[in-house]
Amino acid sequence: MDSGYSFHPSESHTLILETAEQFSKTEIQPKASQLDESGEFPAEIIEKARQLGLFNLTIPSEFGGSELSSLDAMAVIEKLAYGCAGVTTSIVANDLGLTPIVLSGTVEQKNKYLKPICDSGGFASFCLSEPGNGSDAAGLTTKLVPCENGYILNGQKQWITNGGLASQYTVFATIDSAKKHKGICCVVVDAKAKGVSHGPHENKMGQRCSNTTTVIFEDVFIEKERLIGDEGSGFITAMKTLDFTRPMTAAIAVGIAERALQESLVYSKDRKQFGQSISNFQAIQFMLADAATEIEAARLMTYKAAWMMDNKLKNSLESSMAKRFAADTAMKVSTDAVQIFGGYGYTKDYPVEKLMRDAKLMQIYEGTSQIQRLVIAKELLSK
């Protein structure tokens, strides 16, 4: 185990980071505005990312993934999100959808449910939230009823990233609602199975090119071998998955915030008022200074949570703190960026209004900022 964090990146880390930065600059940024306007899914960009090893980032290479360390993955995700958070969410969703299988699946299940997705460039979706149960994951109502040779699945999932495009779903359902979280199971569902359907792409405020739908299960037969882990172990698998992926969400937030800061720096130097650049005004300088400081803090918190994961240390506290702080930082910095741009910042002629809209979602998905505070408090009080 490492004795501490390394601030001296390895040659491989530097190479993948340069690749991600260049890809973001040449492939994502030029198309971000048009994708936001149209809500079109960035299929071509994602396929190019896959060919460069910028997809299925943390999935083991033996099953077709890129197998980056968590720390390397965070740095890559930040660079991609600098270009567009919606595109990056579409990319990172596969890690979220496949991680439960990585964490709790058998070798046979990993070969069956990871490798085909990674080899084909297909999509997998994580299905936990429901129309009536978002933050209250333990209260989900999607039912998994035992039957001969398997189960029957009924229910509906909400806000599913890549839900309209996935070839398989990692679904959390209850086998006994009276047992609360101890009755939750995790199953892998074929998107082409009889009884599986999805709703239309949601018309969202931000991250508009990221495909988001409901997913509906009506009397879907699930073979026993599609159960990941034991019956009743699904909630633990879901929480371990979120510990693993919340730093990824934090990294997206850091990327948004960094882009907002850089746009603000350039604009404040160019914009003239009262005979000088507005960057000379102390009010603007304080906003820039606070943004830079808070972004650096968010980045380091994110890296620490990822480093702990790489070193097999429990990171529930740190991942929640990173996600909460980074999400709130992205919202604050992007809002301040719109303020610095003034009336121009409120128009689509400049990118900061999009950054502000994209940032808002970071405070909501994978656990709201308020839920993260509950997790943080629980972790603190349990020690």
Side-chain angles (χ1 to χ4, degrees):
M1 182 183 296
D2 294 342
S3 59
Y5 317 121
S6 173
F7 291 94
H8 301 284
S10 65
E11 184 176 345
S12 62
H13 177 96
T14 301
L15 180 61
I16 190 69
L17 205 57
E18 289 175 350
T19 300
E21 186 171 20
Q22 183 65 18
F23 184 80
S24 180
K25 181 179 180 180
T26 60
E27 298 292 338
I28 298 179
Q29 289 183 46
K31 301 171 185 175
S33 178
Q34 183 270 326
L35 290 170
D36 175 68
E37 190 73 26
S38 68
E40 178 187 354
F41 184 74
E44 183 180 340
I45 293 175
I46 292 176
E47 176 55 26
K48 289 180 180 179
R50 186 177 78 87
Q51 293 173 7
L52 287 172
L54 301 175
F55 195 50
N56 300 315
L57 295 169
T58 60
I59 308 304
S61 57
E62 64 183 298
F63 305 114
S66 295
E67 199 173 354
L68 298 185
S69 69
S70 292
L71 197 57
D72 283 351
M74 298 315 115
V76 166
I77 290 167
E78 180 188 333
K79 294 298 183 184
L80 297 179
Y82 186 96
C84 177
V87 172
T88 308
T89 292
S90 302
I91 290 173
V92 173
N94 253 37
D95 287 274
L96 176 61
L98 297 176
T99 291
I101 305 169
V102 175
L103 294 177
S104 301
T106 64
V107 174
E108 291 76 16
Q109 288 174 326
K110 291 174 184 178
N111 277 305
K112 188 172 182 179
Y113 303 127
L114 296 180
K115 192 164 177 52
I117 289 288
C118 292
D119 288 349
S120 68
F123 299 101
S125 292
F126 182 84
C127 297
L128 181 61
S129 294
E130 298 181 354
N133 293 283
S135 297
D136 181 15
L140 59 81
T141 59
T142 298
K143 294 287 292 183
L144 191 68
V145 178
C147 68
E148 186 176 357
N149 299 320
Y151 308 89
I152 299 297
L153 178 67
N154 277 284
Q156 182 173 323
K157 296 297 182 177
Q158 186 81 21
W159 318 120
I160 306 305
T161 303
N162 294 346
L165 303 161
S167 56
Q168 74 181 38
Y169 302 107
T170 304
V171 182
F172 295 88
T174 180
I175 201 168
D176 186 350
S177 57
K179 292 183 178 179
K180 301 291 186 180
H181 66 279
K182 293 183 179 179
I184 295 174
C185 302
C186 176
V187 292
V188 177
V189 181
D190 187 338
K192 294 180 180 179
K194 183 180 179 180
V196 178
S197 61
H198 63 80
H201 171 48
E202 300 285 354
N203 187 10
K204 305 192 301 292
M205 174 183 178
Q207 302 198 24
R208 291 171 46 77
C209 70
S210 171
N211 180 264
T212 308
T213 72
T214 58
V215 180
I216 304 156
F217 306 101
E218 298 178 299
D219 294 328
V220 181
F221 175 68
I222 307 294
E223 299 92 341
K224 281 186 177 179
E225 58 265 27
R226 289 181 173 272
L227 177 70
I228 303 299
D230 299 323
E231 289 184 358
S233 68
F235 186 78
I236 293 174
T237 295
M239 295 304 103
K240 287 183 177 179
T241 297
L242 293 175
D243 285 346
F244 190 91
T245 59
R246 276 175 179 150
M248 296 183 182
T249 309
I252 297 175
V254 172
I256 295 171
E258 182 64 36
R259 176 71 180 279
L261 172 60
Q262 294 305 319
E263 295 288 347
S264 297
L265 287 167
V266 171
Y267 183 82
S268 67
K269 293 177 183 177
D270 291 341
R271 175 67 168 168
K272 301 291 193 300
Q273 290 287 278
F274 306 104
Q276 58 183 310
S277 298
I278 63 172
S279 61
N280 291 333
F281 302 146
Q282 191 178 69
I284 301 296
Q285 291 177 353
F286 280 10
M287 294 168 78
L288 296 172
D290 286 349
T293 303
E294 288 158 17
I295 291 168
E296 186 66 7
R299 181 180 291 114
L300 291 174
M301 292 172 73
T302 300
Y303 283 6
K304 180 182 179 182
W307 174 88
M308 292 179 73
M309 183 66 68
D310 285 336
N311 285 273
K312 304 187 186 308
L313 300 171
K314 187 177 186 301
N315 74 338
S316 299
L317 174 64
E318 289 77 10
S319 68
S320 285
M321 289 196 298
K323 197 274 181 182
R324 198 290 296 170
F325 187 77
D328 291 348
T329 295
M331 192 70 242
K332 179 179 181 296
V333 173
S334 60
T335 301
D336 284 349
V338 172
Q339 194 71 20
I340 290 170
F341 275 69
Y344 292 108
Y346 201 64
T347 72
K348 293 184 182 294
D349 294 334
Y350 291 87
V352 289
E353 64 84 28
K354 175 185 180 297
L355 294 172
M356 182 179 173
R357 288 186 287 107
D358 288 348
K360 186 61 206 174
L361 186 55
M362 308 312 300
Q363 295 180 306
I364 297 172
Y365 73 176
E366 280 203 43
T368 66
S369 291
Q370 289 70 32
I371 287 294
Q372 300 309 325
R373 287 177 170 88
L374 291 177
V375 174
I376 292 165
K378 182 179 178 181
E379 289 291 322
L380 292 173
L381 292 169
S382 68
K383 292 185 178 181

